[in-house]
Amino acid sequence: MGAHRRGVGAALAWGRPVHQTASTSEGNTMSHYSRRTLVRGVAWSVPVVAVAANAPAFATSHDVPPPPIFDFTKGYKNPGNKCTSACIPKGSYGVPVTVTNQSGEDFYIQFTSYFIGATDIGVFGLTTGIVGCPKSFPACSPGGQCVTTPPLTASNSVCVPSGTTLTIYVTSNENGSSEQTSQAIDYKWIRKSDCSVASTGRGTSPTSPPNDVC
């Protein structure tokens, strides 16, 4: 009888159903167990389920950074030869973009297209500002498996290390004129660990940049 009680008690503690008519080798039934014993066994099983259901979903190394923020209100353009430089070709457009990577791994962000109206005139380059042509971006940590030829950093991409927020100025190729029209810039988030494309998107503005560079 003692062995039977231990077996049933274990079943109740784990929340497993026990039939009322289950009998022991001595011919006794579950009537030997009071309602209080049954309720106590069920009460122990409920909190375990509740805790598991409310457990927080912690971030993993495969989280993806959020979409970048394109500040088209601070966009710029370079009509004609007014402000031509090594980083800003004539007739080009540009916009500051804020990127944030709070995932558990390093990512590259690559800017792949720069549309003026319906025409993709391409991305000329990326800088950390528009005065003095600065280009000092953070470097990805050593290691990982992402190896491309040419390297991603030579393809209008920059590394955004884990835990980093930075502003990138994206400048278009020469357009030939400074027409007043819409803009759109396409981008990709690329994992440093294996070069896989984690997400893609587009930043758009219905109007031309409001300011000249100089």
Side-chain angles (χ1 to χ4, degrees):
M1 184 63 180
H4 169 67
R5 288 188 177 183
R6 285 196 298 271
V8 173
L12 290 172
W14 285 99
R16 292 197 295 267
V18 178
H19 295 291
Q20 184 72 20
T21 57
S23 63
T24 68
S25 59
E26 299 175 357
N28 296 316
T29 68
M30 279 294 294
S31 60
H32 286 281
Y33 292 91
S34 66
R35 291 184 179 181
R36 182 177 301 174
T37 303
L38 289 171
V39 170
R40 186 165 60 246
V42 173
W44 276 105
S45 67
V46 173
V48 175
V49 176
V51 170
N54 292 310
F58 293 104
T60 69
S61 62
H62 285 81
D63 289 339
V64 179
I69 300 172
F70 294 80
D71 191 354
F72 286 102
T73 64
K74 295 181 181 178
Y76 51 91
K77 59 183 177 180
N78 180 25
N81 292 315
K82 187 174 181 180
C83 303
T84 303
S85 70
C87 288
I88 305 170
K90 66 179 181 179
S92 63
Y93 297 74
V95 63
V97 184
T98 300
V99 296
T100 299
N101 176 15
Q102 295 299 332
S103 74
E105 60 182 311
D106 295 349
F107 275 82
Y108 291 99
I109 188 165
Q110 181 180 37
F111 298 92
T112 57
S113 304
Y114 203 127
F115 286 85
I116 299 300
T119 304
D120 179 10
I121 62 175
V123 177
F124 177 80
L126 311 176
T127 60
T128 52
I130 57 176
V131 178
C133 213
K135 288 189 173 184
S136 56
F137 291 108
C140 275
S141 58
Q145 302 173 4
C146 187
V147 178
T148 60
T149 304
L152 278 171
T153 50
S155 305
N156 296 319
S157 304
V158 297
C159 177
V160 187
S162 176
T164 298
T165 296
L166 58 94
T167 298
I168 302 168
Y169 288 79
V170 183
T171 301
S172 75
N173 285 318
E174 179 180 349
N175 190 41
S177 65
S178 298
E179 55 186 308
Q180 301 292 318
T181 186
S182 63
Q183 306 171 82
I185 302 173
D186 292 329
Y187 69 88
K188 296 178 181 178
W189 278 112
I190 301 171
R191 296 186 196 282
K192 177 184 177 290
S193 60
D194 59 7
C195 285
S196 63
V197 177
S199 66
T200 62
R202 171 177 288 191
T204 61
S205 173
T207 60
S208 179
N211 304 309
D212 293 343
V213 172
C214 57

